[in-house]
Amino acid sequence: MAIEKLTLLALADTLLAAEASLAGQVAACTRVFGASQPWAPPVCAALLARTGADFHHFSRHEIADLLRQLFTPAQEHDGADADADADADADAAPLVTVLPPVRRYCTDPPLRPPQADWLAALGLPPLHSVGALAAWLDEPVGALGWLADQWRLPPGEQARLQHYHYRWVPKRSGGLRLIEIPKARLRRIQQQILRRILDLAPPHAAAHGFRRGRSSVTHAALHAGRHTVIRMDLKDFFPSIQYARIVALFDKLGYPEQVAGLLARLCVNRTPTSALRERQVAEAVTWSERQALKSPHLPQGSPCSPALANLCAYRLDIRLETLAQSLGARYSRYADDLVFSGDRNFARAADRFHLQVAAIALEEGFRVNTRKTRLMREGTRQQVTGVVINRHPNIARDDYDQLKATLTNCVRHGPASQNRDGRADFRAYLAGRISYVKMVNAQRAARLQRLADAIVWR
């Protein structure tokens, strides 16, 4: 067909910047080509019939593709559906094989549909263009492009110009985890996106991680005193959330295509090859993990990543909570930690329940780490995020005894004798551990605090 893709895109840009009415669309065709077109009324009518009230929800590429279908002869369509579409549009959209040259390109942004009530209630900042986003972030447009497209740098310049620091830390379960820490300038931008956009969009109620007023203790307490507890783990939680999902999220929050794409690129990272070359890394990180890290993904260490991960898991939380409720069970999630609990009826379905959870997670773009799945029945230690929940939230006995012994030895022999790891501020370290015990069991924390107060610090 003689119609060029760039011509269709130019036409789509102008149509999306016009009102979604027949008169507005026909006038847009006239502006593009500098003269009225005899085919414009029937083609625009057919286009509006296909898109309906969602016209301005379509992207420029989707509109261009619909135009291509309307301009394509019926015999070039494949399959019965295409034949049906051709019959439906035969009277409304005459055959057009050549379009005149474009006389005027549209520089106006596409019109945005009215915000839904729930979206308007969030009060998100209106960022209708890349220029508006740059002004909001107090950065030049060119600087944002450089910060957002760091993975497109030539290989020789990546190490010198990359915007992240990389640090590998061991996992409790074995293997290594990559912490990707944004440098100061990018971190400031990500913190503003977090505070003024992401913090205003509430995650699902089942999410307990990275939320004010929620913690690992509230996550565990929800399942205290239950007959059966199932704990599951999502594999490679942050790296599994890729760039396309972040773009879709910002688009759902009402931002135009270009703004959503730039916001997403500011929040994701592609790990350079240099960070994956070390021998110990090559041995500890699987091929699939390396591939996820090489692709634009949520970096663990970015201020935005926890909030973005919670929002991207919204559909997962809805489906898993519905599944749990259908069996009379409870569900909550703390980052990648999934926990379900229920009574004896839930226990009878527990043997096949984990397969249903794994299937739902896979459909939502996540994978369950089956090696970490735990079924904890009544009578055994039920532990969630380090908290024992058999009757009520409590600190594990061995953890409590170990901390109590450390404090006792600090009183008897001095704190220096117990600082075997050479911590720079051992006093603050002990205070932090006591504070955590206080979150779980205030009475036990009071006993530890009395020991801490008796330590002589020099």
Side-chain angles (χ1 to χ4, degrees), residues 13 16 58-61 110 112 243 247 251 255-263 265:
D13 287 337
L16 287 170
F58 283 72
S59 70
R60 63 195 295 260
H61 291 281
R112 300 295 293 178
Y243 167 72
V247 175
D251 178 74
Y255 291 110
E257 182 180 358
Q258 288 186 326
V259 175
L262 184 53
L263 282 169
R265 293 196 300 276

Side-chain angles (χ1 to χ4, degrees), residues 228-249:
T228 300
V229 178
I230 298 178
R231 189 178 74 230
M232 306 180 74
D233 184 84
L234 296 177
K235 191 173 184 179
D236 303 326
F237 184 52
F238 287 104
S240 68
I241 301 175
Q242 300 281 298
Y243 167 72
R245 298 179 69 176
I246 307 302
V247 175
L249 173 62

Side-chain angles (χ1 to χ4, degrees), residues 243-287:
Y243 167 72
R245 298 179 69 176
I246 307 302
V247 175
L249 173 62
F250 282 116
D251 178 74
K252 186 68 175 179
L253 293 177
Y255 291 110
E257 182 180 358
Q258 288 186 326
V259 175
L262 184 53
L263 282 169
R265 293 196 300 276
L266 287 168
C267 295
V268 301
N269 183 44
R270 192 175 81 175
T271 307
T273 306
S274 57
L276 302 169
R277 283 177 179 166
E278 301 176 26
R279 181 176 179 182
Q280 66 177 56
V281 172
E283 295 175 352
V285 178
T286 65
W287 180 86

Side-chain angles (χ1 to χ4, degrees), residues 180-197:
E180 303 169 90
I181 306 168
K183 295 181 180 179
R185 188 176 184 182
L186 181 58
R187 183 170 64 249
R188 180 193 67 79
I189 290 173
Q190 291 176 347
Q191 286 172 340
Q192 181 162 337
I193 294 173
L194 170 66
R195 290 193 301 267
R196 299 181 61 183
I197 295 180

